[in-house]
Amino acid sequence: REAVDLPISVCIIGRNEEKNIEKCLAALAARGFEIIYVDTGSDDRTKELAAKYTDNLYDFSWIGDFSAARNFSISKASHNYVLVIDCDEFLTQIDPEALTRAMEAHPRAVGTIQLNNYCESGSGTVCIPNRLERLFHKQYYHYEKPIHEQICDRKTGGTYYERYDAPIGVDHVGYAGTVEERRRKTARNNELLFQEIARHPDDPYYYFQAAQSYNLIEDYENAYTFYEKAFGLQPDTENPWVYVMASNFINACVQLGRGEEALA
């Protein structure tokens, strides 16, 4: 793989990721990216392994807020443009020339990357592709929401901004693994989500994310309950992610034999 000469810093946060960190960083280092790694409290070899690939290593005291950690990592980037990925995501493809043209054509927009999500199913591992907002100019955007964080406009706090397809491909293995590993991940996420629901009982966002957590472990009864609550709070249907939640709600209905409700 040829190195790229792009004014982009790749910002990563993680904790106890010795299983994935080398594969993640090696792919980025091979392309010559500036890598910012922020550790949120590892007690394994994650930081030791990360040091093989970057000198930009920082510690961040975990406060139960993913956006705070993300924004701290972004503050350490020397470039204005940042690409945000996770330790369990591995760069697989990039077209530097096409990316340069896209960034120049959309200087205030947010780039979406191709994310190939590998998930466990009854027949083995399946790949579910989608596109997620991950590339942006740090002067204009940052993260908000303590869990399942969102890129938001710094001035308005909103997610209404131009998006463009960035020619970057990443494999995500975070949804693969044993049933017990996925259950532990759900439990960690929901501990934070339930705290936010208690603080913001009228915000559909956190109910949606709790439903997504239950979807991960195929607990469709609880997923249905939280999707139903979220849509009962009349979310903003102009927001693109609401349509993703609607499709997942339909799937939960189907899994529970609620065919008529799914059609409705």
Side-chain angles (χ1 to χ4, degrees), residues 213-244:
S213 289
Y214 285 118
N215 247 349
L216 177 63
I217 58 173
E218 299 178 0
D219 181 348
Y220 297 113
E221 284 286 358
N222 274 314
Y224 172 89
T225 297
F226 281 91
Y227 284 130
E228 184 179 44
K229 176 64 176 179
F231 278 106
L233 292 170
Q234 299 183 341
D236 180 2
T237 55
E238 294 297 317
N239 210 318
W241 57 263
V242 172
Y243 290 89
V244 177

Side-chain angles (χ1 to χ4, degrees), residues 17 55 57 62 110 112 136 154 179 211 225 247 258:
E17 288 283 357
D55 295 327
L57 299 174
W62 181 243
V110 174
T112 66
F136 55 91
R154 283 185 178 273
V179 172
T225 297
S247 66
R258 299 172 180 265

Side-chain angles (χ1 to χ4, degrees), residues 196-207 229-230 232-235:
E196 294 307 312
I197 286 172
R199 294 189 187 105
H200 310 284
D202 297 322
D203 187 340
Y205 179 82
Y206 297 108
Y207 295 94
K229 176 64 176 179
L233 292 170
Q234 299 183 341

Side-chain angles (χ1 to χ4, degrees), residues 2 43 64 75 83 119 127 145 151 157 161 171 191 195 199-200 215 218 222 226 247:
E2 295 182 3
D43 54 18
S75 74
L83 171 65
C119 310
C127 178
K145 304 286 187 184
I151 297 171
Y161 41 71
D171 285 352
E191 182 179 356
Q195 292 174 11
R199 294 189 187 105
H200 310 284
N215 247 349
E218 299 178 0
N222 274 314
F226 281 91
S247 66

